[in-house]
Amino acid sequence: GTGKPWQFALDAFEIEKLKIALAAHGFGQPVTYDIDPLTLAVKNIRNEGRTPITLEAALRIAQGGTLRVAGEANAAGDRATLRTTLQGLSLRPLQPVVSSRTTLALNSGEVSARMQAQYRAIKDRAEVRAKASASIDNLQLAEAGSGERLLQWASVAASGIDFSLAPDRLAIADIAVRGLSTKVLVNKDRSTNIGQAMKPPGAAKPPADPPTAGETKTSEFPVSIERVNVEKASVDFSDLSLVLPFAAKIEDLSGTVAGLSTDRASRALAKLEGRVDEFGLARIEGSLATFDPKAFMDLRVAFRNIEMTPLSPYSATFAGRRIASG
């Protein structure tokens, strides 16, 4: 009745040592993370609009990992900043997701990330800007039946991540791949272990109706990666489809792939070099269209000083002769 605007103020709202169980369904078995404990503090909740609302949260995940969040927002809700630090989040609870698409076992893996994000609402659009770094460490995927390793790496770390909405954009300055190791096996029936690990997709979706006159196809989200560095990767290759079994190993595979992009006019440049068996050398150099290599690929692959006697399984299969030397 005084004509003065109504005011509300809450100096602090705090939660200490709250336990929460999070579960996602739809993958056969639930994906479960237990938060134990959660600490949350929200301060300066006011409608006068001058003092920013602040938030601080910290939580520990029972399966492995910690998360810290801090941020500010104005009372109108059209501006906000957020800072997050994720450390050592275990990927093992994601096994149901892996099992829904493959026959692999997710034995280990941890995610760590740092991010600083800003949100701003302007008229009829919302702008989001985020800068981050992230890594997936100690990943290991194994064949569920035999338990043999299919893919593992020590670390895949991305730095200089720049993400935005309005305009849409994801740019990554550098991805470092360290200690990558994988196994490729051709079985007697010429199937591969990688193909066998993938479960067949569900019922195909009906084809989408073609765009009508005047409509344009929605452009894909633009993504660019300036550089991928590979350090000390290895590939085990075996071919059991031959008269004699064949096996070879590429080790110490290192190099770079630069200029990856969803822009179909762009070209990625690759330069990789590795050791084959004991004394051999393999080198890959050239360029390709990253997301459509069938449209353009110009790669030069060179082998040097490769011992030929291990290739006898191929000569015996196709020529009926062993290789004595070479």
Side-chain angles (χ1 to χ4, degrees), residues 8-313:
F8 171 81
L10 177 63
D11 288 333
F13 172 79
E14 298 184 3
I15 296 176
E16 292 187 4
K17 296 183 178 181
L18 176 67
K19 296 183 179 181
I20 301 175
L22 301 177
H25 299 270
F27 302 104
Q29 296 292 327
V31 176
T32 304
Y33 282 100
D34 298 310
I35 298 174
D36 181 15
L38 164 68
T39 302
L40 172 67
V42 183
K43 299 179 180 179
N44 301 322
I45 305 174
R46 305 169 185 270
N47 70 336
E48 43 84 7
R50 292 188 298 273
T51 306
I53 301 169
T54 63
L55 175 146
E56 292 185 3
L59 58 90
R60 185 176 68 242
I61 298 163
Q63 289 80 0
T66 60
L67 175 65
R68 292 185 176 274
V69 179
E72 301 86 30
N74 64 355
D78 57 5
R79 292 176 183 270
T81 61
L82 189 68
R83 298 173 298 280
T84 65
T85 301
L86 177 66
Q87 188 68 38
L89 175 66
S90 174
L91 295 178
R92 292 193 66 184
L94 298 179
Q95 178 62 53
V97 179
V98 175
S99 297
S100 68
R101 294 167 172 80
T102 73
T103 61
L104 300 176
L106 178 57
N107 290 338
S108 64
E110 300 89 38
V111 175
S112 298
R114 292 179 178 271
M115 181 187 71
Q116 183 167 342
Q118 296 178 337
Y119 166 83
R120 183 172 63 169
I122 304 175
K123 295 182 179 180
D124 58 345
R125 78 177 193 274
E127 294 182 352
V128 176
R129 303 284 185 273
K131 294 185 180 297
S133 60
S135 67
I136 300 177
D137 303 312
N138 305 316
L139 181 79
Q140 186 183 93
L141 288 167
E143 298 171 348
S146 64
E148 293 187 12
R149 167 193 53 82
L150 179 67
L151 173 68
Q152 70 178 30
W153 63 63
S155 173
V156 172
S159 59
I161 301 174
D162 192 348
F163 173 83
S164 68
L165 295 176
D168 297 344
R169 177 175 177 263
L170 173 60
I172 302 175
D174 186 83
I175 295 179
V177 182
R178 299 182 178 92
L180 173 68
S181 176
T182 186
K183 182 183 74 170
V184 179
L185 171 66
V186 180
N187 296 299
K188 289 185 177 181
D189 60 359
R190 298 191 178 179
S191 63
T192 66
N193 60 333
I194 297 175
Q196 289 178 333
M198 307 304 295
K199 290 184 177 179
K205 296 180 180 180
D209 294 333
T212 58
E215 290 183 342
T216 58
K217 186 177 180 179
T218 303
S219 60
E220 57 194 3
F221 194 97
V223 178
S224 64
I225 302 172
E226 186 175 333
R227 182 175 53 256
V228 177
N229 291 305
V230 180
E231 297 181 12
K232 295 186 180 299
S234 65
V235 179
D236 283 323
F237 177 78
S238 300
D239 191 343
L240 307 182
S241 67
L242 307 171
V243 172
L244 301 172
F246 171 77
K249 188 171 185 178
I250 300 176
E251 297 182 286
D252 294 333
L253 181 65
S254 301
T256 62
V257 181
L260 287 80
S261 174
T262 54
D263 183 356
R264 299 190 180 278
S266 68
R267 298 291 182 261
L269 302 177
K271 188 173 183 179
L272 298 163
E273 186 173 299
R275 177 166 54 87
V276 181
D277 293 327
E278 190 172 1
F279 302 109
L281 172 72
R283 182 179 292 122
I284 303 170
E285 191 172 359
S287 60
L288 72 158
T290 313
F291 290 89
D292 191 6
K294 290 184 179 180
F296 176 84
M297 179 185 292
D298 181 13
L299 292 178
R300 295 173 295 282
V301 181
F303 293 94
R304 296 286 184 271
N305 201 34
I306 306 297
E307 180 69 32
M308 292 190 66
T309 51
L311 299 176
S312 286

